[in-house]
Amino acid sequence: MQPSNKLYTDLSGYYDLMCADIDYPEQSSGVRRLNQLFGNGGHSHLDLACGTGPHMRHFLDFGYQSQGLDINQPMLDKAKMRCPEAEFTLGDIGSFAFDQPFDLITCLLYSIHYSSDIDRLKSCITSVHDALQANGVFCFNAVDKNEINNNLFVTHTAEHQDGAFTFSSGWDYRGYGEQQSLKLCMTKTTHNVSETWKDEHPMVAVGFDELAQLLEPCFEVHIFEHDYGKIEPWDGQSGNALFVCVKT
């Protein structure tokens, strides 16, 4: 077993394999529909923590003018290959600014939690508000710290020319405070020889009521069930939800 390292940097070439079970077309189409319902009709788009750009690729194909922001340059290099017509910025979602405002800002795959504490989350919310046009939409998904099951891990496998891969991820929250962890593990097996990498990301922990209170001074907040194929109001109990926030 190799020591813990930063998977997203050292193994960015395997990021798309890590996310192979994500339905990017459904997620992108769902967010597009929500923007059509709640947005201002514009098509300028910023994807925060864009990674290798899979969501952006779909929005570009929808006719949006998309830009991406990510803290990891190797990710942006791959995103540029996927979306050569788009612009990309190396930066932190906790604090950013652009010269021209956007109609839609997305932050998917729970990336809003990369704000490491409540103060950074507040700074992210302020940066998003400042970067949006009037009646622009901020759309993201989140996990409620009060509903996290530390024993629950999501696992999937994928085949690659470099070997067979197994990926697992899960949330860990100690039951108090404003920080939780995302635990990641990747195992590569080639010719019956296995290597394992583990990583743990400190992330902000927040309940949905608290999150809504942070957003409401700047946005009209709508919370939906975490189902991109439907538009259903959050039932008040689910631990995962989709937030649609309209700049007021």
Side-chain angles (χ1 to χ4, degrees), residues 202-240:
M203 306 179 95
V204 69
V206 64
F208 286 169
D209 289 342
E210 181 184 6
L211 182 53
Q213 289 174 9
L214 293 174
L215 290 159
E216 282 168 355
C218 298
F219 297 96
E220 176 185 294
V221 181
H222 305 270
I223 310 176
F224 296 96
E225 285 294 302
H226 196 252
D227 186 338
Y228 293 88
K230 302 177 182 178
I231 300 178
E232 294 183 353
W234 179 52
D235 65 6
Q237 298 179 342
S238 301
N240 301 278

Side-chain angles (χ1 to χ4, degrees), residues 185-211:
C185 180
M186 185 187 90
T187 298
K188 179 177 74 169
T189 302
T190 307
H191 304 306
N192 296 320
V193 177
S194 295
E195 297 175 278
T196 298
W197 293 264
K198 290 186 177 181
D199 202 4
E200 186 170 339
H201 293 268
M203 306 179 95
V204 69
V206 64
F208 286 169
D209 289 342
E210 181 184 6
L211 182 53

Side-chain angles (χ1 to χ4, degrees), residues 43-57 59-60 63-70 76 79-80 83-90 93 96-107 131:
H43 290 83
S44 59
H45 168 231
L46 172 65
D47 192 21
L48 299 178
C50 65
T52 61
H55 288 110
M56 288 181 61
R57 181 66 266 165
F59 277 95
L60 288 163
Y64 281 71
Q65 297 83 47
S66 287
Q67 294 189 43
L69 180 145
D70 200 282
L76 292 178
K80 187 63 177 178
C83 307
E85 67 270 53
E87 295 183 15
F88 295 92
T89 300
L90 182 67
I93 67 169
F96 62 89
F98 287 86
D99 293 335
Q100 298 296 323
F102 299 91
D103 301 304
L104 170 65
I105 296 179
T106 54
C107 189

